[in-house]
Amino acid sequence: RHSKFNVCCMKRVCDGCDLEATKRGMNGLCEFCRTPFINDDVSDLAMIMKRVSKGDAVAIGNLAEQHYQGSLGVAKDVPRAIELWTEA
């Protein structure tokens, strides 16, 4: 509610940290990994898949959520979402 989720590094950033980063001139960069923000589903999904391939549990859980909701261009697939949540 008072934070956002960055798919580049799978970190949740509170609104206060986001505000401080903006004050310091970091507009358009991730507060943790300094990756430029790209606002399209294909890039977001590619970043998530890169982290999933490395075994990142948070990324696997995030991919499960995408399958559950059918978002970011991923087909809605509840059984696959359950498999991924179990793996995470």
Side-chain angles (χ1 to χ4, degrees):
R1 182 174 142 181
H2 298 287
S3 63
K4 65 179 183 169
F5 189 77
N6 293 342
V7 296
C8 50
C9 58
M10 299 290 145
K11 302 286 185 191
R12 184 161 296 282
V13 179
C14 72
D15 290 344
C17 293
D18 185 40
L19 177 64
E20 284 302 313
T22 301
K23 286 180 180 178
R24 294 173 190 224
M26 291 178 49
N27 297 339
L29 296 177
C30 174
E31 296 80 3
F32 284 98
C33 67
R34 310 298 192 255
T35 301
F37 291 127
I38 301 170
N39 294 326
D40 69 82
D41 291 349
V42 175
S43 297
D44 286 349
L45 185 59
M47 285 189 249
I48 293 169
M49 294 304 294
K50 182 178 177 182
R51 302 283 299 206
V52 166
S53 70
K54 295 180 180 182
D56 184 337
V58 175
I60 295 168
N62 188 284
L63 182 60
E65 190 68 32
Q66 305 314 317
H67 277 285
Y68 183 75
Q69 294 179 359
S71 55
L72 291 183
V74 176
K76 185 170 183 169
D77 185 355
V78 175
R80 177 69 177 138
I82 293 169
E83 288 175 20
L84 289 167
W85 275 320
T86 303
E87 182 182 339

